[in-house]
Amino acid sequence: MPENDPGTSEPRQAAARQGRHALGEPVPAVSAGGNGKEPAPPRNPFLLWLKEIATVVVIAVVLSFLIKTFLFRAFYIPSESMVSTLDVNDRIFVNLLVPEPFALERGDVVVFRDTKGWLPPAPQKVDGPFTWVEDGLTFVGLLPDNSEQHLVKRVIGLPGDHVACCNADGKITVNGAPLDEKYVNPAEVPLVRDFDVVVPAGKVWVMGDNRNHSADSRAHMDSNGGFVDLADVEGKAAVIAWPLNRWAGLDNYPDVFKSVPPEG
């Protein structure tokens, strides 16, 4: 019969067995985490850095694509038709939420697709070794669209407006109200080009700020009456983004049109 320790109810033999590591028996190694596993080897900091950079690039590309598709899109200005508001080689951001869901207003600068043949056919693009890179960056919105199959002009007449040139003072009128057009290029006096139109539903009448150097609605009255379909409008030009020394928001000059009565 095993002898009991006077100070405990447990058999002495069991106590000795529990303390056998004290007699020199090796103790199994235990990791810092306490789970008995070997510590993980250190990770390569260069690979971690590459992973972070790749993650940032992917996120930037996805965000750029989403912004370009639903909010803003970049365009390149190739001509002088909007001087001095826009200069040749300016890069602009266009608000894609106009004309839908937000409506156009008189005075808005808009970019629209050339579906009526206002521009000469684009020359065949010569592909270079990095053309695919440029096309890809343009597609996701990291480069401005410089296809030149878009035009940029200022909206003068909305659907239903009666737009005419010119009154006795040489001013354009909208619904009978003369316009004091502060946005017109001050370097030249605009030449008078007579017209008298009523803008149909679903269309707008557009003109360039550089009046003597703009092939706008006045120059294309033999094609669709010179009107631009609202469905062709990509959006409202909001900001000059490049070059940095020309960074500025684009004004639609509400004071110019505040005295225009409702159409009809």
Side-chain angles (χ1 to χ4, degrees):
M1 179 175 181
E3 182 181 353
N4 288 338
D5 190 314
T8 178
S9 61
E10 293 295 326
R12 183 178 298 172
Q13 183 178 359
R17 209 170 28 243
Q18 292 171 355
R20 61 184 172 178
H21 295 313
L23 301 177
E25 185 174 334
V27 180
V30 179
S31 68
N35 55 11
K37 295 182 179 180
E38 292 293 329
R43 305 180 71 178
N44 189 322
F46 180 71
L47 293 179
L48 289 175
W49 178 79
L50 284 181
K51 182 179 179 181
E52 291 180 1
I53 292 297
T55 302
V56 170
V57 170
V58 169
I59 292 174
V61 169
V62 171
L63 287 177
S64 180
F65 176 76
L66 293 176
I67 291 171
K68 169 249 182 181
T69 302
F70 299 107
L71 296 177
F72 289 92
R73 187 176 175 188
F75 284 91
Y76 161 79
I77 304 300
S79 75
E80 60 179 350
S81 68
M82 286 295 291
V83 171
S84 60
T85 301
L86 298 173
D87 283 346
V88 177
N89 296 326
D90 278 353
R91 270 69 168 173
I92 60 174
F93 282 127
V94 171
N95 180 358
L96 302 180
L97 299 179
V98 179
E100 290 182 356
F102 301 108
L104 279 176
E105 297 181 0
R106 301 182 189 96
D108 284 346
V109 176
V110 295
V111 171
F112 55 96
R113 296 183 297 275
D114 179 30
T115 62
K116 302 297 187 293
W118 287 20
L119 295 170
Q124 186 67 32
K125 187 175 181 180
V126 179
D127 291 339
F130 298 103
T131 299
W132 64 274
V133 177
E134 180 181 349
D135 291 343
L137 292 176
T138 300
F139 176 75
V140 300
L142 294 176
L143 283 181
D145 190 325
N146 59 359
S147 66
E148 299 186 6
Q149 295 310 300
H150 293 82
L151 299 103
V152 56
K153 308 291 179 189
R154 191 179 296 275
V155 174
I156 304 300
L158 295 173
D161 281 345
H162 176 200
V163 187
C165 181
C166 289
N167 67 4
D169 296 325
K171 294 183 177 181
I172 290 175
T173 63
V174 178
N175 299 335
L179 304 181
D180 183 14
E181 298 183 284
K182 302 173 183 178
Y183 42 76
V184 171
N185 183 11
E188 297 180 1
V189 176
L191 299 175
V192 173
R193 299 174 64 175
D194 294 332
F195 61 87
D196 192 328
V197 299
V198 175
V199 183
K203 302 181 186 295
V204 290
W205 179 268
V206 298
M207 299 175 70
D209 290 355
N210 198 12
R211 290 290 159 81
N212 296 341
H213 305 275
S214 177
D216 47 38
S217 288
R218 301 166 298 166
H220 298 282
M221 295 182 66
D222 57 346
S223 173
N224 197 40
F227 305 110
V228 172
D229 295 342
L230 280 172
D232 291 336
V233 176
E234 293 276 10
K236 171 186 173 181
V239 174
I240 302 173
W242 189 266
L244 292 178
N245 63 351
R246 283 186 45 75
W247 190 95
L250 293 174
D251 194 354
N252 65 355
Y253 293 88
D255 288 347
V256 172
F257 299 91
K258 65 181 181 180
S259 61
V260 174
E263 65 275 6

